[in-house]
Amino acid sequence: MKEQLRAIRGMNDILPGASERWQQFEQTVAQVLAAYGYQQIRLPIVEQTAVFERSIGDTTDIVQKEMYTFADRNGDRLTLRPEGTAGCVRAVLEHGLLNVQPQLRLWYNGPMFRHERPQKGRYRQFHQIGVETYGMAGPDIDAEILLLTARLWQALGLSGLRLEINTLGVAAEREHYRAALTAYFSAHRDALDADSLLRLERNPLRILDSKNPAMQALVSNAPRLDEFLEAESRAHFASVCATLDAAGIAYVVNPTLVRGLDYYSRTVFEWITTELGAQGTVCAGGRYDALVELMGGKPVPAIGFAMGIERLVELLAVQAGERSEASAELCVVSASEAESQAALLLAERLRDAHPGWRVVTVCGGGSLKSQMKRADRTGAAIALILGEDEVATATVSVKPMRGQGEQQRIALSELPTKLAALLTA
Ligand code: ATP
Ligand code: MG
């Protein structure tokens, strides 16, 4: 036997059984986004490496150690996208979308690639649905985006998510803060871990992002960014908070929330669950007013977020318990070869009558007993059996598979209505 080939570590197959949850998730999200006037943009998975280097910033984990970068057959430096924002800005500028519509609301969905250490909730190929808005500078869009995310969890039936928000101010405010942080952490150099020592040189704000428990005390006593904010940044943040209060959305202001990427300014946020272990952030984003100019456009304010589909689908599974969404409603069985065509046509009629029903046929013949076993495995609530007698009298034997009621004969003409009643009983 040949050696079994395997998928790449950290890159998952999404198998039947799980894919139904993904589809449902994606449909619900698409509906909510449409309700807020978002339009989908479909972007390439591979971009020139410069797209990410320039936008994400070379002091970040992503650019320093996580990107899948390679030379193609022409020798061009290309990268599998590690996130969606950079490519989205590139596309918006390349196609002049903002010249046509000065305010844009876009969303994307697809795989992202980061060479991280694979573990639960952290993969090398993972999927995000992301949202980006352009041309809106005020705190109202920040608040609307947070309302939108809250509505997403509600529409998905998810509960127990915590919203953390913070403001990073604007570049000049961060410069002053950076100086104060550098002074503080330099004075405590002995207590810094190796990662933080590196960050002290390159980008001291990112020390606040440290996940090392031994660093937590030092981090929580560090100077706070809000002490360095000017009136305008304070007012912006206060307005976002006021709208959340007015809408009844609970949140926690977390002054150490800085986000991993360099391009954020002012409002940043994360939605976090405690039900998935260490990788509890399911959605994260913020304002990035400087990025469009950095990518070669005119200055245009922007805010967006991305959610991790693996983590959210896992949370849906955890909160839904063992409930399987994959089962068919109906399964059609033919007692012998002679009725197999009639069985296929009956299934077609039922799909015509109720496009929402999942109707599975037990193809491939075999004894009635073995067919009933296969019917059971589809998870169907009801089996419809066609034998010689049923075909001759234009009836069907209707057998409940999950213990609701007796087997009965139903006339074909009455079948759709009677099945609808049985299935909702
Ligand atoms: P983390 O701090 O967990 O590494 P991040 O700040 O790198 O997250 P973002 O770049 O903001 O994450 O991505 C947004 C969301 O995408 C995250 O909140 C998470 O849900 C998901 N995500 C990010 N990286 C991964 C990964 N390697 N595997 C699975 N999901 C991920
Ligand atoms: Mg990360």
Side-chain angles (χ1 to χ4, degrees):
M1 269 218 323
K2 294 229 171 79
E3 190 197 337
Q4 181 82 53
L5 296 171
R6 298 189 158 274
I8 295 167
R9 195 162 106 87
M11 303 204 180
N12 301 311
D13 301 308
I14 298 158
L15 301 177
S19 63
E20 288 81 2
R21 274 192 210 282
W22 281 66
Q23 283 180 348
Q24 214 188 14
F25 173 85
E26 288 168 336
Q27 276 167 18
T28 306
V29 173
Q31 269 167 14
V32 173
L33 293 176
Y36 284 79
Y38 283 82
Q39 294 180 289
Q40 192 186 28
I41 185 165
R42 297 182 181 230
L43 300 161
I45 288 172
V46 188
E47 298 269 0
Q48 288 181 56
T49 304
V51 168
F52 305 111
E53 283 176 343
R54 211 196 290 176
S55 62
I56 299 172
D58 19 277
T59 66
T60 58
D61 286 348
I62 292 185
V63 171
Q64 277 185 9
K65 52 189 189 198
E66 295 175 0
M67 292 203 306
Y68 282 88
T69 296
F70 57 96
D72 77 356
R73 288 175 191 277
N74 303 327
D76 293 335
R77 274 182 81 229
L78 306 181
T79 295
L80 296 183
R81 63 180 183 194
E83 52 99 60
T85 302
C88 188
V89 173
R90 195 267 311 136
V92 163
L93 292 176
E94 184 168 341
H95 301 287
L97 297 188
L98 287 163
N99 306 333
V100 190
Q101 254 177 296
Q103 296 192 336
L104 273 179
R105 286 176 163 88
L106 301 175
W107 70 278
Y108 58 81
N109 176 12
M112 306 293 159
F113 302 85
R114 298 184 193 175
H115 197 272
E116 304 197 68
R117 190 171 65 79
Q119 53 197 289
K120 182 172 184 282
R122 192 175 291 287
Y123 309 104
R124 289 181 173 173
Q125 175 175 328
F126 62 100
H127 298 75
Q128 289 181 335
I129 292 184
V131 157
E132 316 288 356
T133 73
Y134 302 96
M136 289 166 268
D140 46 0
I141 184 67
D142 304 27
E144 189 189 74
I145 279 199
L146 292 168
L147 299 182
L148 183 161
T149 49
R151 184 181 297 278
L152 279 173
W153 318 141
Q154 193 194 25
L156 290 163
L158 292 173
S159 57
L161 289 158
R162 179 175 84 249
L163 172 60
E164 293 194 358
I165 60 175
N166 190 24
T167 177
L168 300 182
V170 295
E173 293 158 349
R174 273 205 307 281
E175 267 323 300
H176 294 136
Y177 180 51
R178 178 196 290 257
L181 266 189
T182 306
Y184 170 80
F185 285 121
S186 299
H188 295 89
R189 194 175 268 278
D190 298 345
L192 296 181
D193 61 15
D195 231 20
S196 301
L197 276 171
L198 261 179
R199 289 173 174 180
L200 181 59
E201 301 306 319
R202 296 167 185 270
N203 186 353
L205 255 74
R206 299 221 32 250
I207 300 179
L208 303 177
D209 213 12
S210 170
K211 303 214 161 67
N212 180 354
M215 295 281 304
Q216 291 315 305
L218 193 60
V219 163
S220 52
N221 290 324
R224 288 171 51 150
L225 176 58
D226 54 9
E227 295 156 22
F228 295 81
L229 296 181
E230 313 273 343
E232 214 182 316
S233 284
R234 280 178 199 281
H236 187 104
F237 191 58
S239 168
V240 176
C241 295
T243 305
L244 291 176
D245 291 335
I249 295 188
Y251 59 91
V252 183
V253 177
N254 174 359
T256 68
L257 182 68
V258 291
R259 308 285 310 118
L261 313 184
D262 276 356
Y263 54 55
Y264 288 108
S265 54
R266 290 214 166 125
T267 315
V268 289
F269 66 91
E270 290 191 359
W271 284 95
I272 301 164
T273 173
T274 53
E275 291 175 65
L276 293 178
Q279 318 308 329
T281 302
V282 294
C283 172
R287 185 165 273 287
Y288 52 95
D289 289 346
L291 184 61
V292 177
E293 189 178 19
L294 192 68
M295 297 283 285
K298 296 193 196 106
V300 173
I303 176 166
F305 67 84
M307 48 194 149
I309 306 186
E310 279 79 0
R311 293 182 195 178
L312 281 163
V313 168
E314 175 66 18
L315 187 62
L316 278 170
V318 167
Q319 295 195 353
E322 288 303 296
R323 185 160 52 89
S324 163
E325 321 246 330
S327 315
E329 272 85 22
L330 300 168
C331 184
V332 184
V333 177
S334 53
S336 77
E337 187 76 43
E339 294 84 30
S340 66
Q341 188 189 62
L344 286 185
L345 297 182
L346 172 63
E348 289 295 308
R349 272 183 62 179
L350 293 169
R351 294 182 192 114
D352 287 342
H354 283 271
W357 284 349
R358 278 154 298 185
V359 186
V360 180
T361 53
V362 177
C363 290
S367 70
L368 182 58
K369 193 170 159 210
S370 85
Q371 290 195 59
M372 289 309 288
K373 238 187 220 161
R374 271 139 63 202
D376 188 48
R377 249 182 240 142
T378 67
I382 293 172
L384 305 172
I385 305 160
L386 278 179
E388 200 180 343
D389 197 47
E390 281 87 352
V391 171
T393 55
T395 57
V396 178
S397 291
V398 174
K399 181 177 162 61
M401 302 291 280
R402 308 278 165 245
Q404 346 62 325
E406 294 298 301
Q407 179 166 329
Q408 53 178 312
R409 217 35 117 74
I410 295 180
L412 275 180
S413 56
E414 294 176 342
L415 196 60
T417 347
K418 291 219 164 156
L419 284 177
L422 280 174
L423 283 169
T424 51

